[in-house]
């Protein structure tokens, strides 16, 4: 019996197709099935007003780039139609097999944002939002060790920040950019940048570190809690810590100059 809702059996077929194509692929440096990313991007696209074609293309956005090139693209076109194949092709601009270096590949991807279709633009923004949220979460757990997963130019953390900050500029230059997705990318990049500006936990190495505010907190401190600051109370001792690890609970003082 045919469904009558927004998502038809074509979406079901795309889910099965994506799961099969990426069957053994996992998220970089983890044991998380790659399907988690594909389903997450499709969810963000649907939540941003995308239709079934955009949702299907979101599920398939990496299938040409990672799983078969032109042969796979022809198969996508045969199964799901020319429009979806064209969107997937636009989302596959970051070729990894032509010998180009990391920064050049990223620059080429960003250059394509200026001329890609609105559908590909939405999927690209959803893809990058899902990625930067995962990076920020992993940085909180692992600290700078997370950069070992990346092939970015050294220093890797700064290169990744450059890429996402440049993406925000490229998206913002488009009047038809999905504003909510771009704003969410911008917020997450800013959060990651703040975390990276603090020392990692000296006990567990995590990057989920907050500044400890002693005494009466300001309105800005209240607004920043609990993501950016922790409250230490009114009594300040000589050995009162400056930083607190949100993962293991260790507190420590910042290094102070010796006179």
């Amino acid at each position: 019996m045919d469904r009558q809702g927004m998502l038809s059996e074509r979406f079901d077929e795309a889910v099965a197709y994506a799961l099969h194509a990426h069957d053994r692929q996992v998220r970089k440096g983890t044991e998380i099935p790659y399907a988690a990313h594909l389903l997450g991007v499709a969810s963000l696209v649907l939540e941003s007003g995308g239709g079934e074609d955009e949702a299907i293309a979101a599920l398939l956005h990496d299938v040409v780039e990672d799983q078969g090139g032109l042969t796979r693209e022809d198969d996508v076109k045969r199964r799901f139609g020319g429009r979806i194949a064209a969107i997937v092709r636009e989302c596959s601009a970051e070729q990894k097999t032509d010998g180009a270096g990391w920064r050049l590949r990223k620059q080429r991807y960003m250059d394509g944002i200026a001329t890609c279709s609105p559908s590909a633009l939405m999927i690209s923004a959803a893809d990058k939002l899902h990625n930067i949220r995962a990076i920020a979460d992993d940085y909180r757990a692992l600290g700078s060790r997370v950069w070992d997963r990346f092939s970015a130019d050294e220093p890797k953390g700064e290169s990744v920040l450059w890429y996402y900050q440049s993406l925000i500029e490229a998206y913002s230059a488009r009047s038809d950019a999905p504003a909510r997705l771009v704003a969410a990318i911008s917020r997450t990049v800013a959060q990651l940048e703040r975390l990276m500006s603090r020392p990692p936990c000296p006990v567990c190495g995590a990057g989920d570190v907050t500044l400890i505010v002693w005494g009466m907190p300001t309105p800005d401190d209240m607004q920043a809690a609990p993501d950016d600051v922790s409250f230490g109370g009114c009594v300040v001792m000589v050995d009162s810590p400056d930083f607190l690890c949100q993962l293991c609970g260790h507190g420590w003082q910042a290094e102070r100059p010796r006179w």
Side-chain angles (χ1 to χ4, degrees):
M1 180 176 170
D2 291 342
R3 294 201 303 272
Q4 301 300 311
M6 174 182 165
L7 299 177
S8 70
E9 285 81 359
R10 293 173 68 239
F11 183 82
D12 299 353
E13 182 183 354
V15 170
Y17 187 90
L19 293 178
H20 185 270
H22 295 273
D23 183 33
R24 298 188 179 184
Q25 188 175 355
V26 294
R27 292 285 275 166
K28 188 179 300 183
T30 76
E31 295 300 318
I32 300 171
Y34 202 73
H37 172 63
L38 304 175
L39 293 167
V41 175
S43 176
L44 288 169
V45 166
L46 288 169
E47 291 166 7
S48 299
E52 183 176 60
D53 278 2
E54 285 79 17
I56 289 173
L59 290 168
L60 306 179
H61 76 274
D62 277 335
V63 76
V64 171
E65 182 177 323
D66 291 345
Q67 302 295 334
L70 293 177
T71 300
R72 180 68 73 174
E73 183 180 330
D74 290 341
D75 193 44
V76 169
K77 183 175 182 179
R78 179 176 61 84
R79 290 172 179 266
F80 300 101
R83 179 169 187 260
I84 288 175
I87 297 171
V88 171
R89 186 189 314 117
E90 291 183 277
C91 295
S92 306
E94 191 182 326
Q95 296 297 327
K96 300 175 181 177
T97 58
D98 63 356
W102 181 86
R103 188 169 288 252
L104 177 57
R105 288 191 286 108
K106 300 303 181 185
Q107 188 62 59
R108 288 194 313 211
Y109 184 87
M110 289 186 290
D111 291 344
I113 291 173
T115 57
C116 71
S117 67
S119 295
L121 182 67
M122 175 183 288
I123 294 166
S124 172
D127 175 33
K128 301 314 177 190
L129 174 57
H130 195 269
N131 282 339
I132 192 60
R133 282 176 170 171
I135 292 170
D137 286 345
D138 289 344
Y139 186 87
R140 287 185 173 93
L142 300 173
S144 60
R145 291 170 291 175
V146 74
W147 307 127
D148 294 339
R149 301 173 178 176
F150 291 81
S151 59
D153 294 344
E154 296 286 355
K156 294 182 178 181
E158 292 181 16
S159 291
V160 171
L161 278 179
W162 163 82
Y163 178 46
Y164 279 90
Q165 289 163 345
S166 300
L167 281 168
I168 292 166
E169 293 179 7
Y171 292 136
S172 299
R174 291 275 302 255
S175 61
D176 56 348
R180 289 176 60 185
L181 292 175
V182 177
I185 295 171
S186 182
R187 286 194 299 271
T188 308
V189 170
Q191 291 168 2
L192 177 59
E193 191 171 16
R194 287 196 297 273
L195 290 171
M196 290 172 61
S197 72
R198 299 169 190 163
C201 176
V203 172
C204 71
D208 195 357
V209 172
T210 55
L211 301 170
I212 300 179
V213 173
W214 296 95
M216 180 66 69
T218 68
D220 287 343
D221 293 332
M222 297 298 294
Q223 186 173 3
D227 290 336
D228 288 325
V229 301
S230 299
F231 300 124
C234 294
V235 180
V236 185
M237 309 295 289
V238 174
D239 59 350
S240 294
D242 301 302
F243 300 104
L244 177 67
C245 176
Q246 295 296 311
L247 265 66
C248 73
H250 177 67
W252 72 98
Q253 288 187 327
E255 291 188 6
R256 290 173 170 79
R258 297 180 179 180
W259 302 100

